[in-house]
Amino acid sequence: MPIRFIFLTTACFAIASIGLYGMLNLSSNSTQSEIDQTPSPQIELSGLHMTTDEFKNKFNGAVGKYRLNGLSITRLNIQDSPEQGTGTFEYIFNDELRLVGAVNADESIQEVRLYATGDTRKPTGGIYMTAIATLILTTNSEYTYNDAQDVIQDISLLDRDVNQSDFDGATIRNGLEYRFSVQDSEHSTFEITVAR
């Protein structure tokens, strides 16, 4: 009996020690994670932290992974503005959908926008919604397609009819703002920018 008691006590002590070590390790990791995620006061978030080539590769990677046919980017048309130290890029998917972005002086992307033309009184759908989801996946490499749908839901694109001329829905995730707005009866925009 005493041997069994000693054995059980030792086992309980070992399990408790492992649990305590795990809790301390988890606590220090989460504290370090919070420190890593908190920007230092002198450093500002300046963009999406990827170059145009990285953006194109991530975008096309999401298209391939989720088989989002008809959306691959072959070549981004980049225009520099030397006097301002910035640039822009553009990609035209079709007559009704184009992608436009702004690039910082360090060649990282500042923001991206999808411009769509068509009857905004009709529900947003098809290739436009797929392109919106793909952009969300591109800017959050850890996201799944379900996460992208959650962002779209937060913007209210899936909740209500967006055929109103004053629709403007936005949400912020991981320091980025995702916004969908209708400009008039034929033009709408989806944009991703750094949250201010």
Side-chain angles (χ1 to χ4, degrees):
M1 189 72 159
I3 294 176
R4 179 182 283 172
F5 178 74
I6 292 170
F7 177 72
L8 287 174
T9 303
T10 305
C12 287
F13 179 74
I15 291 170
S17 297
I18 292 169
L20 182 61
Y21 173 78
M23 286 174 32
L24 289 173
N25 195 22
L26 181 62
S27 173
S28 67
N29 283 347
S30 65
T31 304
Q32 184 61 42
S33 174
E34 289 169 14
I35 291 168
D36 292 344
Q37 291 176 1
T38 307
S40 26
Q42 68 271 28
I43 298 174
E44 287 186 28
L45 291 175
S46 62
L48 305 183
H49 304 292
M50 66 180 89
T51 65
T52 52
D53 282 340
E54 291 168 334
F55 172 82
K56 184 182 86 167
N57 292 338
K58 287 182 179 183
F59 188 94
N60 288 340
V63 168
K65 180 176 182 178
Y66 294 101
R67 298 180 181 163
L68 307 172
N69 300 329
L71 277 178
S72 292
I73 296 173
T74 51
R75 183 175 175 267
L76 292 172
N77 296 319
I78 301 171
Q79 298 174 345
D80 292 327
S81 176
E83 63 276 1
Q84 295 178 356
T86 60
T88 60
F89 63 88
E90 180 181 48
Y91 187 79
I92 298 172
F93 293 103
N94 58 41
D95 292 341
E96 298 177 346
L97 183 64
R98 68 188 176 103
L99 170 73
V100 176
V103 181
N104 292 326
D106 64 358
E107 298 185 0
S108 66
I109 295 177
Q110 175 66 32
E111 60 188 33
V112 290
R113 288 193 174 104
L114 281 171
Y115 291 99
T117 53
D119 191 347
T120 55
R121 293 170 296 179
K122 294 180 180 176
T124 304
I127 194 167
Y128 192 17
M129 287 296 280
T130 306
I132 288 171
T134 307
L135 272 185
I136 294 167
L137 291 167
T138 302
T139 56
N140 284 286
S141 55
E142 72 279 5
Y143 273 20
T144 65
Y145 201 79
N146 287 338
D147 294 317
Q149 286 181 324
D150 287 344
V151 173
I152 293 169
Q153 181 74 46
D154 286 350
I155 296 171
S156 299
L157 277 177
L158 302 178
D159 283 354
R160 58 189 260 205
D161 191 1
V162 295
N163 62 5
Q164 302 171 19
S165 61
D166 61 349
F167 181 85
D168 188 4
T171 188
I172 295 175
R173 296 270 188 104
N174 298 328
L176 298 177
E177 181 179 61
Y178 300 89
R179 179 176 297 277
F180 182 89
S181 56
V182 176
Q183 281 72 49
D184 54 44
S185 62
E186 293 185 4
H187 299 91
S188 60
T189 304
F190 174 74
E191 63 182 332
I192 302 175
T193 58
V194 175
R196 301 279 181 233

